[in-house]
Amino acid sequence: MDENGSKKKKNSGRGVSGPTNPMVTPLLTDHYQFTMAYAYWKANKHQERAVFDLYFRKNPFGGEYTVFAGLEECVRFISNYKLSEDEIHFIKQNLPASCEDGFFDYLRGIDCSDVEVYAIPEGTVVFPKVPLLRIEGPVAVVQLLETPFVNLINFASLVTTNAARHRFVAGKSKTLLEFGLRRAQGPDGGVSASKYCYIGGFDATSNVAAGRLFGIPLRGTHSHAFVSSYMSFDEIADKALRTKDGSSTCEDFVSLVQKWLNKIKWSNSFRGIFSETNQSELAAFTSYALAFPDNFLALVDTYDVIRSGIPNFCAVALALSDLGYKAVGIRLDSGDLAYLSCETRKLFCSIEKEYELSYFGKMSITASNDLNEETLDALNKQGHEVDAYGIGTYLVTCYAQAALGVVFKLVEINNQPRIKLSEDVSKVSIPCKKRIYRLYGKETYPLVDIITGENEPPPKVGERILCRHPFQESKRAYVVPQHVEELLRCYCAGSSDKKQETLPPLKDIRDRCIKQLEQMRRDHMRRLNPTPYKVSVSAKLYDFIHFLWLNEAPVGELQ
Amino acid sequence: MDENGSKKKKNSGRGVSGPTNPMVTPLLTDHYQFTMAYAYWKANKHQERAVFDLYFRKNPFGGEYTVFAGLEECVRFISNYKLSEDEIHFIKQNLPASCEDGFFDYLRGIDCSDVEVYAIPEGTVVFPKVPLLRIEGPVAVVQLLETPFVNLINFASLVTTNAARHRFVAGKSKTLLEFGLRRAQGPDGGVSASKYCYIGGFDATSNVAAGRLFGIPLRGTHSHAFVSSYMSFDEIADKALRTKDGSSTCEDFVSLVQKWLNKIKWSNSFRGIFSETNQSELAAFTSYALAFPDNFLALVDTYDVIRSGIPNFCAVALALSDLGYKAVGIRLDSGDLAYLSCETRKLFCSIEKEYELSYFGKMSITASNDLNEETLDALNKQGHEVDAYGIGTYLVTCYAQAALGVVFKLVEINNQPRIKLSEDVSKVSIPCKKRIYRLYGKETYPLVDIITGENEPPPKVGERILCRHPFQESKRAYVVPQHVEELLRCYCAGSSDKKQETLPPLKDIRDRCIKQLEQMRRDHMRRLNPTPYKVSVSAKLYDFIHFLWLNEAPVGELQ
């Protein structure tokens, strides 16, 4: 009972903001959800209490794990669910004229305040067949939520998993930058990719809108166009640069840069290495350094990395050094990244030695250009000197597998369990309102997930429990858990008295994800032939599934 | 000169609505566009007039054509371009503290009113290397537009092309339904897929939001969950159904359905074909028919298509027939679609004959379940009786190729042509402000696209013109065009006096697309080994490209 004496909690009273994308409205659903709602209403069946599970059937990218994401957007969506008069009018226009007006009055009253949502926390490592969300409520209302929920979780989980896989191959020590906005599938394909790649372990994004919406660090310097927009030094209006300590001003930074270029070209160590460098590139670098003397990072492959980009960069970096500034580094966007990064590092180290600049050898080398899991793996095998990767297309569009097969299945209605059969066993649904436990062994890693009926006693630490494969009779194992974690938690209590989880900040979701990934046994995570993680059901649930299956399946007649 | 005596036309005065997705704001861009803008401003170079081309390098899906789409969203974006104070504050926070305040005053004033956009009309069939857009304006401003423009065109063109390819395989006579919202890459991944699939030749969508935004016809009936939510006929509260002509009421439609089921089961023609059908499925179908007697279309594979779904459907359809209603048809969502559709058709035809119902044999058969170009092709080869396809995942996520490599390259600044070199010839950009003409031969199909310098005389009908491959010296051909079409048109006149094209309604873009696709020579369109369409440059432009290339490329030294 709250202060107003009302037992019914309104979700909308929870103060949760609406979805990030204002296009996520109750109309962002399939037309058949409304035709079904009408048929339920017409049969006076719309208020029947239904339980739906949201899950996927197969891990993406040929791997054996998935990171669950998208929950917060679902909670935001239903916490603010309300059909406007305009929307109801549009629905009415698109249903047969024979549909009765009472239905539209019913739609007017829907606010999801009686919908309960149980979910695995966002950022958890999850596996096929395990319900990520269990949604309970009036059957007509929960049906309306199917499409937006699946939409909001499908891509979110897919791209988070993709980011986690890229992080796994790149290794912990590298900086990972998401550069995908321009190639993403639409504006919020880009914005949500930025958000979920950050959760999956990326460090920063180029996407300013995502930086603003989610507080993700921003990164980026300049493009090839910037370099080719310069013709000569004449274009630099103001050539003066104050020293870093502010004590004096170099009136002609351009001359200082040119002096350094000549010096390294003709020094004993580098003589003959550099041919004539491109002057317009040098002008562009110099101009960029004048604008950002403390953040000078240059794209060096507009003309020729080794013959032009790197020497030009070094000349500017050395000139900056004279004034007390330390250049940040370079970005390579084409060519043999392994070779070019090693050659660049060698040169940086030689300059460090020649001019006694202790930071020069350690300057950052960023690589970009159509990187993906395979190219990162190839770079590792070859050996390279890259510190940071900028990854775009393959990451944000999930090029290797562009969709996750998330489904939303009815498992109970009016307290009656329901099963969806299929000739393909992997498509048979697990009926009943269920609980999920993750069982841990003596080591810290998870051993197995077990799904039980809602009212079965939970697995206990130190007590042996039989874990059965849901569909294969012979696959079963006893487990004595050292730690038991219940996975589904209450995020929307509906009209129940359950305590609601608060929505964690993005940073916490990211931390959870990174910790979860580290906790997994390595053989589940490897790229080549990973070991499947086991998902099981209790003995009682196993028996029940198969009882129901036999009950519903028609008996064939061989002729 | 307008009424106020001002020559400068404000785009914002054009009355163009903002982007469909409110997330498309000036911050939906890469961070480096703002760092570059600052560097340009600092060098006092920001107002230099630059020309950028937007194009792609390779047709998607192993094909030899692409449909250009996304233009309207770009025009809407720049017609309403304005950075808010909040946005400027955010940019400032994310640039070094040393950045001067004058720059932020400059950002405050940007409104794109001096940006000119020339583009190929949306819905046109286009080819690699041809500029889809030419954008002219102050270099700093046009840079800021790069990322949103590429984002808005990349996926739009890709998914339109994908839809066109699916239409090509399915054939003109089939109904194509886009069912992809739940599997799309985020909310507007779904909404824009619906829009662009419609442009590419689809007939309808399941996505209600897209139906409302764009006026696309909506389609959909019910899901497996609807079927499995029913247990028995007891759940149907109101069993009465008025006849179609309103003359009388059948008080117990349920009994009528059951009577028909028994009748067909034991009729001489069908005896022994049907075993016991699933009663909860029959209850669900009956309930749905009571809600939509004029639009009865049933999903028949929840239990078993041939043994349960089809006979149950027929019983309901026959009962409806008694009351003057014609059922619409069925949907198959699993199994062997070719076989099941043929068996279903046979049965429909037998019933038509047995009960003299002239429409029954022609009822619609819709197929869904992970369809794509390959499965449609396989169905055609096998023979089938499907009238309509519901296509989701593979269509809307462009599963076969999840991104189009759209790029945005500087081709001129301060009237000076610029070229971007690369060791990979296919990545060298074509410099200069250019025009594009499509040349048609004696037949009605296009022969070749030719790119010329801005000020070259246009190709003339009946006059021989040399068309050269831009990079391969030996590839060239004379053409005598029978019809010449200039492709780039002015969509934003900026501060010029040019006449602006109006943005056509969606229906016109769709019609254009369908007409354009029909006009192409068949060998460019086929799925297997299609013939590349030729894109050429004028002799003058060819010479200029190669002059500039030699000028910019460093001369190597073999050692």
Side-chain angles (χ1 to χ4, degrees):
Chain A
M1 303 277 269
D2 67 15
E3 282 176 37
N4 301 318
S6 151
K7 196 182 161 192
K8 194 169 178 181
K9 280 183 249 172
K10 288 272 174 195
N11 277 320
S12 49
R14 196 175 165 184
V16 174
S17 328
T20 300
N21 186 345
M23 291 172 85
V24 180
T25 67
L27 292 196
L28 192 79
T29 196
D30 288 314
H31 181 59
Y32 79 177
Q33 312 292 8
F34 287 109
T35 57
M36 282 192 275
Y38 180 73
Y40 286 132
W41 178 85
K42 185 83 172 92
N44 198 28
K45 205 175 142 68
H46 56 297
Q47 299 288 18
E48 284 182 8
R49 198 89 188 154
V51 182
F52 285 80
D53 282 351
L54 183 151
Y55 60 98
F56 60 92
R57 298 190 184 115
K58 200 171 176 315
N59 288 304
F61 310 119
E64 289 295 348
Y65 67 96
T66 300
V67 181
F68 171 51
L71 174 61
E72 178 180 333
E73 294 294 332
C74 291
V75 174
R76 285 178 176 218
F77 173 61
I78 78 158
S79 301
N80 295 276
Y81 193 99
K82 192 80 201 155
L83 281 152
S84 72
E85 277 308 310
D86 275 2
E87 289 171 332
I88 291 170
H89 180 72
F90 181 76
I91 297 159
K92 193 170 175 177
Q93 277 183 316
N94 280 278
L95 288 178
S98 60
C99 290
E100 297 168 31
D101 280 344
F103 173 65
F104 302 101
D105 291 335
Y106 164 64
L107 288 184
R108 252 169 221 116
I110 293 177
D111 65 359
C112 292
S113 62
D114 46 1
V115 174
E116 291 163 58
V117 177
Y118 301 85
I120 296 177
E122 197 159 358
T124 303
V125 174
V126 292
F127 305 96
K129 295 193 285 279
V130 171
L132 309 175
L133 276 88
R134 187 179 83 207
I135 301 109
E136 307 177 25
V139 63
V141 176
V142 182
Q143 280 280 196
L144 291 172
L145 304 176
E146 172 179 17
T147 318
F149 271 38
V150 173
N151 176 284
L152 290 168
I153 283 166
N154 198 334
F155 181 58
S157 299
L158 185 72
V159 73
T160 306
T161 307
N162 204 20
R165 295 181 63 87
H166 280 78
R167 167 57 77 192
F168 186 81
V169 184
K172 273 194 215 178
S173 66
K174 301 298 171 193
T175 299
L176 292 185
L177 313 170
E178 176 272 309
F179 280 178
L181 176 58
R182 67 186 60 195
R183 299 283 170 81
Q185 296 200 352
D188 78 2
V191 170
S192 48
S194 302
K195 172 180 174 180
Y196 296 112
C197 288
Y198 186 62
I199 290 180
F202 271 58
D203 298 297
T205 180
S206 65
N207 179 343
V208 184
R212 185 171 183 226
L213 280 166
F214 309 116
I216 305 170
L218 291 175
R219 290 286 283 274
T221 53
H222 68 81
S223 68
H224 295 116
F226 181 82
V227 174
S228 50
S229 78
Y230 281 80
M231 308 279 283
S232 78
F233 282 113
D234 302 343
E235 291 168 65
I236 302 176
D238 182 359
K239 296 175 182 172
L241 183 59
R242 276 177 83 81
T243 55
K244 172 141 172 108
D245 62 10
S247 63
S248 64
T249 297
C250 164
E251 293 302 335
D252 191 352
F253 184 69
V254 168
S255 294
L256 186 62
V257 167
Q258 284 171 315
K259 196 193 80 187
W260 269 111
L261 186 65
N262 280 318
K263 198 163 165 183
I264 49 173
K265 270 169 85 172
W266 301 109
S267 81
N268 287 331
S269 315
F270 311 114
R271 192 193 304 267
I273 298 182
F274 309 134
S275 69
E276 210 58 46
T277 69
N278 187 296
Q279 283 295 298
S280 54
E281 181 180 58
L282 187 61
F285 288 179
T286 305
S287 179
Y288 199 78
L290 283 163
F292 299 105
D294 252 328
N295 301 271
F296 179 58
L297 195 157
L299 176 64
V300 293
D301 70 332
T302 304
Y303 299 103
D304 187 300
V305 173
I306 299 296
R307 289 188 291 199
S308 184
I310 296 291
N312 278 339
F313 167 79
C314 289
V316 177
L318 288 162
L320 282 172
S321 206
D322 279 354
L323 309 185
Y325 297 102
K326 290 179 186 172
V328 175
I330 59 134
R331 176 160 74 96
L332 300 166
D333 190 40
S334 60
D336 181 337
L337 300 173
Y339 168 78
L340 292 173
S341 68
C342 292
E343 287 299 302
T344 302
R345 182 70 69 206
K346 258 192 262 170
L347 189 67
F348 283 175
C349 289
S350 307
I351 290 181
E352 167 164 337
K353 209 175 146 196
E354 177 96 2
Y355 302 108
E356 291 174 3
L357 294 166
S358 62
Y359 68 94
F360 217 95
K362 287 180 286 293
M363 277 192 304
S364 153
I365 299 176
T366 301
S368 48
N369 190 26
D370 285 347
L371 297 175
N372 58 25
E373 274 193 69
E374 280 66 40
T375 48
L376 294 183
D377 192 46
L379 279 168
N380 287 343
K381 284 175 181 152
Q382 233 179 306
H384 65 85
E385 286 289 339
V386 176
D387 303 295
Y389 295 107
I391 313 185
T393 313
Y394 291 95
L395 176 68
V396 305
T397 65
C398 299
Y399 207 90
Q401 181 183 326
L404 182 67
V406 169
V407 296
F408 192 87
K409 294 290 169 195
L410 179 73
V411 295
E412 189 177 298
I413 186 163
N414 271 341
N415 298 311
Q416 297 296 314
R418 307 305 291 152
I419 191 169
K420 154 87 177 76
L421 302 182
S422 174
E423 301 203 0
D424 179 355
V425 172
S426 74
K427 285 191 166 183
V428 173
S429 64
I430 300 178
C432 306
K433 191 192 286 194
K434 300 177 285 288
R435 291 178 185 268
I436 315 151
Y437 302 92
R438 183 157 291 176
L439 309 185
Y440 293 77
K442 280 179 195 147
E443 314 293 331
T444 53
Y445 52 73
L447 282 179
V448 62
D449 286 2
I450 183 167
I451 307 175
T452 74
E454 167 81 354
N455 297 318
E456 286 186 56
K460 286 197 185 64
V461 169
E463 266 184 32
R464 205 168 78 141
I465 182 168
L466 183 63
C467 297
R468 299 202 64 163
H469 187 287
F471 304 116
Q472 292 180 39
E473 202 175 3
S474 64
K475 287 196 176 175
R476 62 228 153 118
Y478 283 107
V479 175
V480 181
Q482 301 303 307
H483 172 58
V484 175
E485 183 186 13
E486 180 159 12
L487 292 185
L488 286 177
R489 302 184 193 169
C490 177
Y491 283 87
C492 296
S495 38
S496 80
D497 284 327
K498 301 218 175 65
K499 194 178 163 295
Q500 281 180 175
E501 299 284 327
T502 51
L503 293 172
L506 190 65
K507 180 74 172 57
D508 292 5
I509 299 173
R510 182 173 189 267
D511 289 347
R512 178 181 182 87
C513 172
I514 293 169
K515 209 178 141 196
Q516 284 260 325
L517 291 162
E518 279 175 4
Q519 210 179 25
M520 293 301 299
R521 222 172 57 200
R522 291 297 90 178
D523 58 327
H524 301 310
M525 312 301 285
R526 67 182 174 220
R527 290 186 65 234
L528 200 64
N529 298 327
T531 313
Y533 178 86
K534 287 187 179 56
V535 172
S536 66
V537 296
S538 67
K540 201 170 165 187
L541 184 56
Y542 179 90
D543 291 341
F544 190 72
I545 295 169
H546 293 266
F547 162 77
L548 208 65
W549 192 341
L550 282 176
N551 223 29
E552 294 281 3
V555 183
E557 277 179 48
L558 290 177
Q559 287 172 347
Chain B
M1 302 281 267
D2 66 17
E3 282 177 37
N4 301 317
S6 150
K7 195 183 161 191
K8 194 170 178 179
K9 280 184 249 170
K10 288 271 174 195
N11 277 319
S12 49
R14 194 175 165 184
V16 174
S17 328
T20 300
N21 186 345
M23 292 173 85
V24 180
T25 67
L27 292 196
L28 193 79
T29 196
D30 288 313
H31 181 59
Y32 79 177
Q33 312 292 9
F34 287 109
T35 57
M36 282 191 276
Y38 181 73
Y40 286 132
W41 179 86
K42 185 83 172 91
N44 198 27
K45 205 176 142 68
H46 55 297
Q47 299 289 19
E48 285 182 8
R49 198 88 187 156
V51 182
F52 285 80
D53 281 352
L54 184 151
Y55 60 98
F56 60 92
R57 297 188 184 115
K58 199 173 178 313
N59 288 305
F61 310 119
E64 289 296 348
Y65 67 96
T66 300
V67 181
F68 170 52
L71 174 61
E72 177 180 333
E73 294 295 331
C74 292
V75 174
R76 285 181 178 215
F77 174 61
I78 78 158
S79 300
N80 294 275
Y81 194 98
K82 192 80 200 153
L83 282 151
S84 72
E85 276 308 310
D86 275 2
E87 289 171 332
I88 290 170
H89 179 72
F90 181 76
I91 297 159
K92 193 170 177 177
Q93 278 182 315
N94 280 278
L95 288 178
S98 60
C99 289
E100 297 167 32
D101 281 342
F103 173 65
F104 303 100
D105 290 335
Y106 164 65
L107 288 183
R108 251 169 222 117
I110 293 177
D111 65 0
C112 293
S113 61
D114 46 1
V115 175
E116 290 164 59
V117 177
Y118 301 85
I120 296 178
E122 195 159 0
T124 303
V125 174
V126 292
F127 305 96
K129 295 192 286 280
V130 171
L132 310 175
L133 277 86
R134 187 181 83 207
I135 302 110
E136 306 177 25
V139 64
V141 175
V142 182
Q143 280 280 198
L144 291 172
L145 303 177
E146 173 179 18
T147 318
F149 271 37
V150 173
N151 176 285
L152 290 168
I153 284 167
N154 199 335
F155 181 58
S157 300
L158 185 71
V159 74
T160 307
T161 308
N162 203 19
R165 295 180 64 86
H166 280 77
R167 166 57 77 193
F168 187 81
V169 184
K172 273 194 214 178
S173 66
K174 302 298 171 193
T175 300
L176 292 185
L177 313 170
E178 175 272 308
F179 280 178
L181 176 57
R182 67 187 61 194
R183 298 283 169 79
Q185 295 201 351
D188 79 2
V191 170
S192 46
S194 303
K195 173 179 172 179
Y196 295 112
C197 288
Y198 186 62
I199 291 179
F202 271 58
D203 299 296
T205 179
S206 66
N207 180 343
V208 184
R212 186 173 182 225
L213 280 165
F214 310 117
I216 305 170
L218 291 175
R219 290 287 283 276
T221 52
H222 68 80
S223 68
H224 296 117
F226 181 81
V227 175
S228 50
S229 78
Y230 281 80
M231 308 280 283
S232 78
F233 281 113
D234 303 342
E235 290 167 64
I236 301 176
D238 182 359
K239 296 174 182 173
L241 183 59
R242 277 178 82 82
T243 54
K244 174 141 171 106
D245 62 11
S247 61
S248 64
T249 296
C250 163
E251 293 302 334
D252 191 352
F253 184 68
V254 167
S255 294
L256 186 62
V257 166
Q258 283 172 315
K259 195 193 81 186
W260 268 111
L261 185 64
N262 279 318
K263 199 163 164 182
I264 49 173
K265 270 169 83 173
W266 301 110
S267 82
N268 286 331
S269 315
F270 310 112
R271 193 192 302 268
I273 298 183
F274 309 134
S275 69
E276 209 57 47
T277 69
N278 187 297
Q279 283 296 297
S280 54
E281 182 182 60
L282 186 62
F285 287 0
T286 305
S287 179
Y288 198 79
L290 283 163
F292 299 105
D294 252 330
N295 300 271
F296 180 57
L297 195 157
L299 176 64
V300 293
D301 70 333
T302 303
Y303 299 103
D304 188 299
V305 173
I306 298 295
R307 289 188 290 199
S308 184
I310 296 293
N312 278 337
F313 166 80
C314 290
V316 177
L318 287 163
L320 282 173
S321 207
D322 280 353
L323 310 185
Y325 297 102
K326 289 180 185 170
V328 175
I330 59 134
R331 176 160 73 96
L332 299 166
D333 190 40
S334 58
D336 181 335
L337 300 173
Y339 169 78
L340 292 173
S341 68
C342 291
E343 288 299 302
T344 301
R345 182 70 68 206
K346 259 193 262 168
L347 189 67
F348 284 176
C349 289
S350 306
I351 290 181
E352 167 163 339
K353 209 174 146 198
E354 177 95 4
Y355 303 108
E356 292 175 3
L357 294 167
S358 62
Y359 68 95
F360 218 95
K362 287 180 286 293
M363 277 193 304
S364 152
I365 299 176
T366 301
S368 49
N369 189 27
D370 286 346
L371 297 176
N372 58 25
E373 274 193 69
E374 280 67 39
T375 48
L376 295 183
D377 192 47
L379 279 169
N380 288 343
K381 284 175 180 151
Q382 234 179 306
H384 65 85
E385 285 289 339
V386 176
D387 304 295
Y389 295 107
I391 312 186
T393 312
Y394 292 95
L395 175 69
V396 303
T397 65
C398 300
Y399 207 89
Q401 182 183 326
L404 181 67
V406 168
V407 296
F408 193 88
K409 296 289 169 196
L410 180 72
V411 294
E412 188 177 299
I413 186 163
N414 271 342
N415 299 311
Q416 297 297 312
R418 305 306 290 152
I419 191 169
K420 153 86 178 75
L421 302 183
S422 174
E423 301 202 0
D424 179 355
V425 172
S426 74
K427 285 191 169 184
V428 173
S429 64
I430 301 178
C432 307
K433 191 192 287 193
K434 300 176 287 287
R435 291 178 186 267
I436 315 150
Y437 302 92
R438 183 157 292 176
L439 309 185
Y440 295 76
K442 281 180 197 148
E443 315 292 330
T444 53
Y445 52 73
L447 282 180
V448 63
D449 286 2
I450 182 166
I451 308 173
T452 73
E454 167 80 354
N455 297 318
E456 287 185 55
K460 286 194 184 66
V461 169
E463 266 184 32
R464 205 169 78 141
I465 182 167
L466 183 63
C467 298
R468 299 203 62 163
H469 187 288
F471 304 116
Q472 292 180 38
E473 202 175 4
S474 63
K475 288 195 175 174
R476 62 227 153 121
Y478 284 107
V479 175
V480 182
Q482 301 302 307
H483 171 58
V484 175
E485 182 186 13
E486 179 159 13
L487 293 184
L488 287 177
R489 303 184 191 169
C490 177
Y491 283 87
C492 298
S495 39
S496 80
D497 285 327
K498 300 216 176 66
K499 193 178 165 292
Q500 281 179 174
E501 299 285 327
T502 52
L503 293 172
L506 190 65
K507 179 74 173 55
D508 292 4
I509 299 173
R510 182 172 189 268
D511 290 347
R512 179 181 181 86
C513 172
I514 293 169
K515 208 177 143 198
Q516 284 261 323
L517 290 162
E518 280 175 5
Q519 211 179 24
M520 293 300 299
R521 221 172 58 202
R522 292 296 91 178
D523 59 327
H524 301 309
M525 311 301 284
R526 67 183 174 220
R527 291 186 63 235
L528 200 65
N529 298 326
T531 313
Y533 178 86
K534 288 187 179 54
V535 171
S536 65
V537 296
S538 66
K540 199 170 166 188
L541 184 56
Y542 178 90
D543 290 342
F544 190 71
I545 295 169
H546 293 264
F547 162 77
L548 209 65
W549 192 339
L550 283 176
N551 222 29
E552 294 282 3
V555 183
E557 278 179 44
L558 290 177
Q559 288 172 348

